[in-house]
Amino acid sequence: MARAPFELAGVRVAPGTRAQIEVPIAKLYTHAPLDIPVEVVHGRQAGPTLLVCSAIHGDEINGVEIVRRLLRSRQINRLRGTLIAVPIVNIFGFVQHSRYLPDRRDLNRCFPGTESGSLGGRIAALFREQIVDHATHIIDLHTGAIHRTNLPQIRAQLDEAGEETRRMADAFGAPVILNAELREGSLRHYAQGRGIPVLTYEAGEALRFDEWAIASGVRGVLRVMRRLGMLAGEQRHRAPPAAEVANGSSWARAPIDGILRPRARLGARVSRGEVLGIVSDPFGNEEGEVLAMADGIVIGASRLPLANEGEALFHIARFDEIDEAESAIETFHSGLEPPPDALY
């Protein structure tokens, strides 16, 4: 029996074909239309429907490049199931180099949205109805916020989400899985409430391309697709090293106002009480030590040396088996090609 076409936003995509679709979301003050760009790859054979999306926060651009490379991969030409690829969800923020929408709302706190609410609520409702509700599985691509960078990591609520989510997280191959609570209004919160397995991939920083984060993201998405049976050849590909699950995390904060001199690098193992950096005034008359509050691994860090008292500077993940976590990160880094000189 022939597989049925896939329909999205009124466009029918035949089996064995792909189509780029513009989903209207709003208009500018000038009456110029704004659309969410979507590409659908509809395989000839039945399988899962995977949504891969990025830039829900408009300044988190690593995921845009991950989606581009994914769509150019020759492997998806033999796809089973359906891939819905959305490189830019928050068009308003992307154009303005901003995390937020024009009304300063965070789109990833607006789900499930409403057709009669705020701009964020309206866009969330449209994205949910037109795109998200078609998916059986989701990978949501993120980076650190402005002036912060993240070690490549998967975030998922493993205790509540079910075996399929854990299977996807293990397949992705990031060195760390953060067993993270759901945030109300997020895409992950909405999807998991509907029983849709969803991963959040965090890597790199806002408004910057990070080749390690991008290349790792592309490989991770393809690994998940193979694990889901959407791509052939899982047996021929070497399994990624087992990721360690962090059982919690917290931020080390600036003890005083001043300028940060960091000592701990991203991915480093640290011990409780270890000095992660020094904050001092411009003359060096007053200094304060940024101390690790627990044994763990640095999975996020500020990239801006200027710090106000209480500002989050180093994100420390805690592990039951910290030796294994350190080994997983070292193995992850050793398997990466040195990135080319940054272009941006």
Side-chain angles (χ1 to χ4, degrees):
M1 181 177 178
R3 193 177 185 209
F6 184 86
E7 185 168 339
L8 188 145
V11 177
R12 292 167 64 87
V13 184
T17 68
R18 56 201 296 171
Q20 293 182 355
I21 303 169
E22 304 295 329
V23 179
I25 58 162
K27 291 181 180 178
L28 297 175
Y29 310 121
T30 60
H31 200 66
L34 278 183
D35 303 320
I36 295 179
V38 181
E39 183 159 339
V40 173
V41 185
H42 191 41
R44 294 185 183 278
Q45 300 180 52
T49 298
L50 174 66
L51 168 62
V52 180
C53 61
S54 70
I56 283 183
H57 295 135
D59 60 356
E60 298 184 1
I61 65 174
N62 273 338
V64 181
E65 177 64 7
I66 291 172
V67 172
R68 187 194 70 81
R69 295 189 192 182
L70 175 66
L71 290 171
R72 303 281 73 79
S73 171
R74 289 178 294 180
Q75 297 183 53
I76 67 172
N77 293 333
R78 298 180 298 277
L79 181 74
R80 299 189 188 98
T82 304
L83 171 65
I84 307 172
V86 185
I88 307 163
V89 178
N90 182 357
I91 295 292
F92 281 104
F94 186 78
V95 170
Q96 295 296 324
H97 307 170
S98 171
R99 176 184 181 90
Y100 302 107
L101 293 163
D103 61 1
R104 296 299 297 168
R105 281 183 168 83
D106 183 335
L107 181 56
N108 207 31
R109 299 295 180 268
C110 293
F111 288 91
T114 173
E115 295 178 357
S116 59
S118 65
L119 176 64
R122 291 169 188 260
I123 293 175
L126 185 145
F127 183 62
R128 167 179 57 82
E129 294 169 358
Q130 297 287 339
I131 298 170
V132 174
D133 287 349
H134 288 285
T136 62
H137 301 74
I138 298 174
I139 300 176
D140 186 20
L141 306 172
H142 287 260
T143 76
I146 191 74
H147 303 313
R148 289 182 183 174
T149 187
N150 281 332
L151 183 77
Q153 60 196 260
I154 287 294
R155 296 185 183 179
Q157 191 184 37
L158 300 178
D159 298 335
E160 304 292 336
E163 184 60 32
E164 186 76 340
T165 299
R166 179 57 190 258
R167 200 164 69 100
M168 292 170 63
D170 288 340
F172 197 98
V176 169
I177 300 172
L178 185 58
N179 191 11
E181 292 298 316
L182 298 173
R183 294 195 175 186
E184 188 171 353
S186 67
L187 173 61
R188 190 159 64 93
H189 182 270
Y190 169 74
Q192 187 168 311
R194 283 179 53 86
I196 302 173
V198 56
L199 301 181
T200 297
Y201 174 63
E202 290 269 2
E205 64 176 306
L207 295 177
R208 296 288 182 272
F209 273 175
D210 181 321
E211 180 58 29
W212 275 348
I214 292 167
S216 301
V218 176
R219 286 199 296 269
V221 174
L222 291 171
R223 284 177 181 138
V224 171
M225 294 176 75
R226 285 194 289 271
R227 181 65 58 87
L228 295 177
M230 299 179 72
L231 301 176
E234 181 178 4
Q235 308 305 321
R236 296 196 302 269
H237 290 79
R238 186 175 60 183
E244 289 299 315
V245 177
N247 54 31
S249 69
S250 52
W251 283 88
R253 299 179 179 274
I256 61 172
D257 305 306
I259 300 171
L260 171 68
R261 303 194 306 277
R263 290 187 178 178
R265 60 177 176 79
L266 201 65
R269 177 176 178 172
V270 297
S271 301
R272 180 182 176 87
E274 183 177 336
V275 178
L276 307 177
I278 304 292
V279 179
S280 66
D281 67 62
F283 298 103
N285 295 327
E286 183 181 8
E287 291 191 339
E289 296 178 335
V290 185
L291 302 178
M293 74 302 294
D295 297 346
I297 301 289
V298 179
I299 64 168
S302 173
R303 294 291 293 266
L304 185 67
L306 313 180
N308 295 113
E309 184 176 355
E311 191 167 345
L313 299 179
F314 298 92
H315 192 192
I316 311 299
R318 302 183 297 275
F319 299 85
D320 291 331
E321 303 292 341
I322 193 168
D323 290 339
E324 285 78 0
E326 183 180 32
S327 176
I329 291 169
E330 290 175 352
T331 302
F332 173 81
H333 282 147
S334 66
L336 295 173
E337 295 291 333
D341 291 338
L343 299 176
Y344 302 98

